[in-house]
């Protein structure tokens, strides 16, 4: 299903003030950043939306019940600001909230106007002001006293599809205006909007809590893990929104900003700059204006990269197809140190391919089996791979975690999922799962495991393993190997199938054991 309003055929690109100015943006800052979108050449590359964020609204409606603006922040008024933006050849984005009040950065005390209960009226006003885009936030969605609720008791109903009614109501109100207004649902991912599916509600949907401010590598890692199970929901007209860009802001090194930008681009997230363009460095502008990276984001196929392999505490591999038949592959250095990393083409299903470095534009010729590159701390390698030779697919022997011959101890136990599948849970915190009778083949040694698991331990905050769980796997009583496993979904009945990890220590024959544990936390269910 799709929204089918003809908008966001490729991910939106533009500017929003939040990461730079929070809810304190004033008219002159909107003017200057709009002008700089043009002057820095950003508009010409596709950054066409100049969007408002929290703080533009008043705190009381007028006598007709219409939404008002903050005259201290926007003295000339929103209609005049929209006209200024349009006169620059840009599109004008408005902000509102599907709650009683809008979000703010003063603990919910500002009480900027929200649109709950006024959707038709507000949509009509936004259209009359020339709005081309609406970012629709999620504060005070439950009550006038519940500022931010990451587990809202709002029934997501309308079976057989499941939608948050606050967002469908505004969707319909925007449609009733007759004006094409891109609808950006800022629901923070708390009710798993990708699976509603949100593509029938909005042109993009936030998948996570805020990226900042302040910016940090931990924020990026949290959001990357939350994307893992939902990459397949992005398509022309509806996109996973990984949140505003932090390129140009403090908190990330220039290398981390580059990694952030290329990952967001390849994941087909909207690319919404959120820094003060009057203070931006030449290096940050160069990241934002890399036409090869932008082309990946705006590729007409509209298919996101997907998670391929995690080498725990080492590096990630993601990849996805492009419209010309090539593949974009991204290797992310997860260590905070500079070093060489060898990328194995088999991790994206190839034995050889013709390669171009997307960041630099350098042609790398034909790669055979692997490619070694030097990475800065938290850096990224982005390759466009063409003319590939497809690698043979490995074959696996299936072992049921819940099989009677396995050993569950210390509280590990089975549970039934969807009335049909038995899984093993409560592994970790003393609970262990030991698979027995595992075949090491004729030579033993190192084996590739493909693991099916369920992990719905999602979080809006940064932890030691944000939106992931660690398992420790030991072969035949040997040293346990940490295996970091991202979300499979946001409910405990969604499976991630085919997580790959190599383990050593197998003996020839069918007498091997694999024990799974975690001394201080729970693992996924297997």
């Amino acid at each position: 299903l799709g929204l089918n309003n003809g908008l966001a055929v490729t991910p939106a690109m533009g500017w929003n003030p939040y990461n730079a100015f929070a809810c304190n943006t004033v008219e002159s800052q909107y003017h200057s950043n709009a002008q700089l979108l043009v002057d820095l050449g950003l508009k010409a590359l596709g950054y066409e939306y100049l969007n408002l964020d929290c703080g533009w609204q008043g705190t009381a409606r007028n006598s007709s019940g219409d939404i008002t603006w903050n005259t201290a922040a926007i003295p000339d008024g929103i209609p005049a600001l929209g006209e200024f933006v349009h006169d620059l050849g840009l599109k004008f984005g408005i902000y509102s909230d599907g709650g009683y009040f809008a979000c703010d950065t003063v603990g919910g005390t500002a009480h900027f106007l929200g649109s709950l209960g006024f959707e038709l009226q507000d949509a009509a006003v936004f259209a009359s002001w020339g709005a081309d885009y609406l970012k629709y936030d999620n504060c005070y969605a439950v009550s006038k006293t519940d500022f931010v609720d990451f587990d809202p008791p709002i029934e997501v109903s309308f079976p057989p599809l499941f939608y948050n009614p606050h967002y469908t109501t505004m969707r319909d109100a925007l449609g009733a205006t007759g004006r094409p207004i891109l609808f950006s649902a800022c629901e923070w991912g708390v009710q798993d909007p990708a699976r509603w599916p949100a593509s029938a509600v909005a042109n993009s949907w936030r998948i996570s809590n805020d990226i900042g401010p302040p910016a940090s590598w931990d924020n990026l890692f949290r959001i990357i893990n939350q994307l893992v199970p939902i990459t397949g929901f992005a398509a022309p007209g509806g996109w996973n929104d990984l949140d505003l860009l932090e390129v140009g802001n403090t908190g990330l090194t220039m290398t981390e900003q580059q990694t952030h930008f290329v990952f967001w681009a390849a994941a087909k997230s909207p690319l919404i700059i959120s820094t003060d363009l009057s203070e931006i460095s030449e290096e940050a502008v160069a990241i934002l204006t890399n036409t090869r990276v932008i082309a990946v984001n705006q590729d007409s196929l509209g298919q996101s990269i997907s998670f391929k392999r995690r080498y725990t505490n080492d590096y990630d591999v993601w990849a996805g197809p492009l419209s010309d038949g090539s593949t974009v592959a991204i290797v992310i250095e997860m260590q905070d140190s500079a070093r060489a990393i060898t990328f194995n083409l088999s991790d994206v299903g190839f034995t050889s391919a013709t390669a171009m470095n997307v960041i630099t534009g350098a042609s790398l010729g034909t790669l055979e089996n692997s490619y070694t590159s030097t990475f800065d701390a938290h850096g990224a390698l982005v390759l466009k791979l063409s003319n590939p030779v497809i690698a043979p697919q490995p074959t696996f022997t299936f072992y049921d975690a819940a099989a009677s011959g396995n050993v569950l101890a210390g509280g590990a136990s089975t549970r039934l999922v969807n009335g049909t599948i038995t899984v093993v849970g409560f592994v970790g915190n003393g609970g262990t799962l030991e698979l027995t009778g595992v075949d090491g083949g004729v030579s033993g040694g190192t084996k590739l495991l493909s693991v099916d698991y369920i992990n719905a331990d999602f979080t809006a905050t940064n932890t030691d393993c944000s939106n992931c769980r660690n398992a420790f796997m030991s072969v035949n009583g040997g040293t346990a190997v940490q295996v970091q496993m991202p979300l499979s979904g946001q409910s405990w009945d969604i499976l991630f199938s085919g997580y790959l990890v190599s383990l050593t220590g197998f003996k020839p024959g069918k007498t091997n054991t694999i024990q799974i544990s975690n001394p201080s936390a729970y693992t996924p269910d297997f």
Side-chain angles (χ1 to χ4, degrees), residues 37-70:
L37 282 176
V38 177
D39 296 347
L40 293 173
L42 294 161
K43 171 183 174 290
L45 295 176
Y47 294 96
E48 61 179 348
Y49 288 98
L50 189 288
N51 296 337
L52 309 189
D53 211 290
C54 52
W56 74 263
Q57 308 101 309
T59 56
R61 292 179 176 268
N62 66 20
S63 60
S64 299
D66 291 338
I67 196 167
T68 59
W69 58 82
N70 179 348

Side-chain angles (χ1 to χ4, degrees), residues 13-17 21 25-44 46-52 80-93 273-279:
M13 300 172 63
W15 180 90
N16 174 293
F21 306 117
T25 319
V26 297
E27 187 173 85
S28 61
Q29 292 165 328
Y30 283 119
H31 282 176
S32 62
N33 280 275
Q35 186 67 57
L36 284 164
L37 282 176
V38 177
D39 296 347
L40 293 173
L42 294 161
K43 171 183 174 290
Y47 294 96
E48 61 179 348
Y49 288 98
L50 189 288
N51 296 337
L52 309 189
L81 179 55
E83 184 175 353
F84 177 87
V85 170
H86 285 145
D87 286 347
L88 291 173
L90 297 166
K91 295 180 179 178
F92 179 53
I273 301 165
S274 191
T275 193
D276 184 354
L277 293 176
S278 69
E279 302 286 342

Side-chain angles (χ1 to χ4, degrees), residues 366-434:
T366 299
L367 307 184
E368 297 285 350
N369 297 315
S370 65
Y371 176 70
T372 300
S373 180
T374 300
F375 287 67
D376 290 332
H378 293 154
L381 172 69
V382 187
L383 298 178
K384 184 176 181 180
L385 303 173
S386 305
N387 306 312
V389 175
I390 306 301
Q393 294 299 303
T395 57
F396 295 95
T397 300
F398 181 73
Y399 295 88
D400 187 347
S404 59
N406 295 330
V407 179
L408 280 61
S413 60
T414 59
R415 68 181 179 93
L416 198 63
V417 177
N418 296 330
T420 56
I421 304 296
T422 301
V423 304
V424 177
F426 295 101
V427 178
N429 283 322
T432 59
L433 163 64
E434 184 173 87

Side-chain angles (χ1 to χ4, degrees), residues 44 57 98 105 109 134 154 208 232 250 370 372 481:
Q57 308 101 309
T105 52
T109 61
L134 173 64
I154 298 172
S208 69
T250 59
S370 65
T372 300
V481 174

Side-chain angles (χ1 to χ4, degrees), residues 502-519:
S502 292
L503 296 180
T504 61
F506 286 91
K507 301 177 295 186
K510 299 181 178 180
T511 61
N512 293 276
T513 63
I514 303 171
Q515 187 182 79
I516 305 174
S517 64
N518 185 320

Side-chain angles (χ1 to χ4, degrees), residues 268-498:
K268 303 301 189 287
S269 175
L271 297 180
I272 308 296
I273 301 165
S274 191
T275 193
D276 184 354
L277 293 176
S278 69
E279 302 286 342
I280 196 170
S281 68
E282 292 182 3
E283 294 85 354
V285 170
I287 290 172
L288 293 169
T289 57
N290 188 316
T291 55
R292 292 175 299 277
V293 177
I294 292 172
V296 169
N297 180 255
Q298 298 289 297
D299 182 73
S300 61
L301 183 64
Q303 189 164 332
S304 171
I305 53 171
S306 61
F307 177 83
K308 299 300 181 184
R309 187 82 185 260
R310 172 161 292 172
Y311 295 86
T312 298
N313 298 323
D314 200 351
Y315 63 94
D316 265 16
V317 179
W318 295 64
L322 299 173
S323 60
D324 64 0
S326 66
T327 295
V328 62
I330 297 185
V331 180
I332 304 175
E333 156 69 296
M334 289 298 182
Q335 291 188 12
D336 192 13
S337 60
R339 62 193 176 108
I341 294 175
T342 297
F343 161 56
N344 297 306
L345 270 70
S346 59
D347 284 341
V348 295
F350 305 149
T351 59
S352 69
T354 303
M356 179 191 75
N357 185 314
V358 174
I359 295 175
T360 68
S363 175
L364 303 177
T366 299
L367 307 184
E368 297 285 350
N369 297 315
S370 65
Y371 176 70
T372 300
S373 180
T374 300
F375 287 67
D376 290 332
H378 293 154
L381 172 69
V382 187
L383 298 178
K384 184 176 181 180
L385 303 173
S386 305
N387 306 312
V389 175
I390 306 301
Q393 294 299 303
T395 57
F396 295 95
T397 300
F398 181 73
Y399 295 88
D400 187 347
S404 59
N406 295 330
V407 179
L408 280 61
S413 60
T414 59
R415 68 181 179 93
L416 198 63
V417 177
N418 296 330
T420 56
I421 304 296
T422 301
V423 304
V424 177
F426 295 101
V427 178
N429 283 322
T432 59
L433 163 64
E434 184 173 87
L435 301 167
T436 62
V438 179
D439 190 355
V442 296
S443 57
T446 299
K447 298 296 178 183
L448 182 66
L449 275 67
S450 174
V451 184
D452 297 346
Y453 69 86
I454 299 174
N455 174 20
D457 190 10
F458 72 96
T459 179
T461 58
N462 296 332
T463 67
D464 289 340
C465 194
S466 302
N467 292 316
C468 58
R469 280 188 171 187
N470 286 306
F472 292 84
M473 298 187 179
S474 169
V475 177
N476 295 323
T479 301
V481 174
Q482 180 185 354
V483 183
Q484 193 179 72
M485 311 175 87
L487 291 181
S488 65
Q490 289 184 211
S491 62
W492 288 94
D493 57 357
I494 300 172
L495 181 73
F496 185 98
S497 183

